[in-house]
Amino acid sequence: MTKSRASRVLMVCTGNICRSPSAEGVLRHLAIAEGLADRIEIDSAGTTDWHAGEPPSKRAQVAAKARGYDISGLRARPLRREDYFDFDWMLAMDEGHIAHLVRNRPEDATAEIVLFLDPAPQVGRGDVPDPYYGGEDDYEYSLDLIEAGCRGWLERLKGGK
């Protein structure tokens, strides 16, 4: 029996220091807990290079750590042209990111561009709001949505794509 190729997932937000690294860390944590770490490859990127090389924001790290997710080792990076070919899924945290991804999508790109919360209709919204300019409650709410989205993606990815 041949081993199937891992599903490759890229989380995308603006600066890659709050929402997308949090989603990367949560989905990785869930995949490991389910014994699926070898079947799902996860990364994150920003639509801008404003924070390239920086760790996730301190408040994102604190909120994640309180729920058992360690995202301190992640580093922000900007979206690259190759990402459209290297990943199966590009998961946008909001409609603005969808627009950016579609606008910059190479004609022959292979990645599917989807809103991150697509497999979590129970949350009643499509966008994960940016907590960066908010307070602690905003980070907690974003993490609530991210956990719901990651659980939905984990279920979707269990079957392959």
Side-chain angles (χ1 to χ4, degrees), residues 61-129:
Q61 289 185 53
V62 167
K65 190 72 166 173
R67 296 188 191 197
Y69 313 114
D70 183 3
I71 61 172
S72 63
L74 302 179
R75 294 297 176 264
R77 72 167 181 88
L79 190 65
R80 300 181 294 244
R81 184 181 192 285
E82 306 84 56
D83 292 333
Y84 288 91
F85 302 93
D86 291 344
F87 291 91
D88 301 307
W89 300 93
M90 298 176 91
L91 307 182
M93 293 294 143
D94 64 36
E95 291 287 348
H97 303 130
I98 287 273
H100 178 92
L101 291 168
V102 169
R103 185 174 54 252
N104 292 287
R105 179 186 171 104
E107 192 173 304
D108 57 342
T110 55
E112 191 164 340
I113 298 168
V114 182
L115 266 177
F116 171 76
L117 286 177
D118 184 58
Q122 74 277 10
V123 301
R125 61 179 303 141
D127 290 358
V128 176

Side-chain angles (χ1 to χ4, degrees), residues 40-57:
I40 304 170
E41 293 178 27
I42 308 145
D43 196 2
S44 61
T47 58
T48 69
D49 64 357
W50 298 338
H51 300 285
E54 294 179 20
S57 77

Side-chain angles (χ1 to χ4, degrees), residues 4-72:
S4 63
R5 184 180 72 77
S7 294
R8 303 209 62 216
V9 178
L10 182 68
M11 309 296 187
V12 180
C13 71
T14 306
N16 193 215
I17 60 166
C18 294
R19 293 170 287 177
S20 59
S22 294
E24 177 184 352
V26 170
L27 186 57
R28 183 172 289 119
H29 179 90
L30 294 175
I32 290 168
E34 293 272 335
L36 300 172
D38 62 335
R39 290 187 45 207
I40 304 170
E41 293 178 27
I42 308 145
D43 196 2
S44 61
T47 58
T48 69
D49 64 357
W50 298 338
H51 300 285
E54 294 179 20
S57 77
K58 287 290 184 203
R59 292 184 299 162
Q61 289 185 53
V62 167
K65 190 72 166 173
R67 296 188 191 197
Y69 313 114
D70 183 3
I71 61 172
S72 63

